[in-house]
Amino acid sequence: MHGEYKAPGGKLVVVDCDSEGGVLRNVRVAGDFFLEPDEALAAIDQALEGAPADADAAQLAARIEATLPEHTVMFGFTAEAVGIAVRRAVAEATDWTDYDWQLIHEPPQPPALHMALDQVLTEEVAAGRRPPTLRVWEWASPAVIIGSFQSLRNEVSPEGAARHGIDVVRRISGGGAMFVEPGNTITYSLSVPDALVHGLSFADSYAYLDDWVLGALGDMGVKAWYQPLNDIASSAGKIAGAAQKRMTAPAGGTGAVLHHVTMAYDIDADKMLDVLRIGKEKLSDKGTTSAKKRVDPLRRQTGLPRDEVIQRMITSFRTRYGLHPGHVTDEELARARRLAEERFTANAWTARVP
């Protein structure tokens, strides 16, 4: 069995092992990390030898930490990262480069259609009819996107939304409300096979699927990091928020994960505060009392036009994993349009949590 895991902002950990009689055998850990002293690597292998094959990452990390030589220094990885790599080996997880990635970047579309496209394309990946897909959104109109479980009245001021001509739509994933405007927002979706995140906890999968964009931002001079559970942040404030939806496999399919991210390229903070009802409780754990201070747009941090930021992100993904141009098929688009009309523009869905 072979498993790989790149710690967010860190180095690659590779584990090769066997499973015999419910325990790990012939464990070999490798990677591009730094480790002192040299004998610590053999200690890690020995700590994992004979461990229960169904042990979770924390249990495996505890075994490693208990046997490391005194004064061991692990740079670019942790004992838990090794545990995650083991879990991915046992779960037979795939890697980004195992797939033929498709890029979809089409003209502006209405907010409700974007919600429907996310569902349809991820269902197609789950069914094995579509390759893993990176979709970059273009917005036809401003919108507030609320999470699947949020209260409509608690999150959005109907008067403010009407005053600014802003649509309110509910997405299929959880998480918080996002305020988007066509020229001020960068949004993308990853529709990936479930096997890509095998062996990762729900929280770890966020960091894993966001790692490529942290690299892309770094190439643009933005020092950003993953901030649990679902934010991308810099020292100046939040840059982006992520959300996920897991989709079960139909007969003959593999299952899939929808991971979508909304990034603030620029923001009209006064308008946002007129539309969103952002409570003090939500801000209290973010170390700020002002939503204006909490979000720091990419335009200021990069000094680049929005279109160039997007193109650099796409180039970074292509360089890492490969990426070829694609499109939404006629059948997928027809299904998405029906779904947008029947579900995502219907009050029964938008106000399902009043």
Side-chain angles (χ1 to χ4, degrees):
M1 300 180 293
H2 179 87
E4 298 185 4
Y5 177 68
K6 182 180 180 296
K11 297 295 185 176
L12 180 68
V13 179
V14 180
V15 171
D16 291 285
C17 61
D18 299 318
S19 176
E20 299 174 1
V23 299
L24 300 177
R25 296 297 184 197
N26 306 315
V27 181
R28 294 292 179 269
V29 176
D32 59 357
F33 47 76
F34 299 93
L35 179 64
E36 294 289 348
D38 280 356
E39 55 265 29
L41 184 61
I44 293 173
D45 290 345
Q46 190 58 41
L48 296 171
E49 191 73 21
D54 60 355
D56 63 27
Q59 292 169 326
L60 295 169
R63 290 177 66 103
I64 293 169
E65 290 167 352
T67 58
L68 286 173
E70 190 176 0
H71 306 307
T72 293
V73 177
M74 305 172 76
F75 187 70
F77 77 122
T78 62
E80 185 175 8
V82 177
I84 292 172
V86 172
R87 293 305 315 145
R88 286 177 59 74
V90 173
E92 298 183 339
T94 55
D95 185 68
W96 294 85
T97 54
D98 292 333
Y99 298 105
D100 187 16
W101 289 89
Q102 185 175 114
L103 170 68
I104 293 177
H105 189 190
E106 298 188 336
Q109 293 158 321
L113 185 58
H114 278 306
M115 304 302 110
L117 282 169
D118 260 1
Q119 180 174 333
V120 168
L121 296 180
T122 308
E123 287 174 345
E124 290 297 287
V125 172
R129 293 188 293 263
R130 159 172 284 282
T133 300
L134 167 65
R135 183 170 75 91
V136 179
W137 305 21
E138 295 294 347
W139 295 92
S141 60
V144 167
I145 314 300
I146 61 175
S148 181
F149 311 108
Q150 288 188 296
S151 162
L152 178 60
R153 70 166 64 99
N154 288 347
E155 298 298 327
V156 183
S157 164
E159 297 81 12
R163 186 160 42 248
H164 298 290
I166 291 176
D167 292 332
V168 180
V169 295
R170 186 184 294 275
R171 63 180 182 267
I172 60 174
S173 61
M178 307 300 295
F179 175 78
V180 302
E181 293 184 289
N184 289 348
T185 305
I186 297 172
T187 306
Y188 68 86
S189 300
L190 288 169
S191 297
V192 306
D194 185 67
L196 184 62
V197 295
H198 278 179
L200 298 177
S201 68
F202 192 82
D204 288 334
S205 71
Y206 274 84
Y208 184 70
L209 294 175
D210 280 339
D211 188 64
W212 73 274
V213 82
L214 299 183
L217 290 171
D219 292 342
M220 289 181 265
V222 179
K223 183 174 175 55
W225 57 83
Y226 164 73
Q227 182 170 296
L229 169 66
N230 62 331
D231 287 350
I232 295 172
S234 71
S235 59
K238 175 178 175 178
I239 294 172
Q244 285 186 8
K245 177 67 175 179
R246 306 295 173 105
M247 296 189 180
T248 57
T254 60
V257 177
L258 168 65
H259 180 91
H260 44 200
V261 175
T262 294
M263 313 177 78
Y265 172 74
D266 203 350
I267 195 164
D268 185 331
D270 291 328
K271 186 188 295 185
M272 178 183 73
L273 294 176
D274 194 35
V275 176
L276 294 183
R277 291 172 169 161
I278 302 175
K280 293 181 180 179
E281 183 68 21
K282 184 169 185 176
L283 295 174
S284 65
D285 68 339
K286 306 297 182 181
T288 181
T289 57
S290 169
K292 289 185 181 181
K293 296 178 181 178
R294 185 181 165 210
V295 179
D296 192 66
L298 284 173
R299 185 174 74 170
R300 186 190 69 78
Q301 292 205 47
T302 65
L304 298 171
R306 174 182 176 274
D307 288 349
E308 186 168 346
V309 172
I310 291 173
Q311 288 307 312
R312 290 196 184 194
M313 288 170 58
I314 291 171
T315 298
S316 181
F317 191 102
R318 181 181 292 116
T319 300
R320 285 167 171 253
Y321 310 128
L323 188 66
H324 69 270
H327 63 277
V328 178
T329 68
D330 291 343
E331 181 181 353
E332 291 168 338
L333 184 58
R335 283 177 54 201
R337 283 174 172 162
R338 288 195 301 271
L339 191 59
E341 181 178 353
E342 295 169 1
R343 185 181 199 184
F344 292 106
T345 58
N347 188 64
W349 170 253
T350 305
R352 77 180 187 117
V353 183

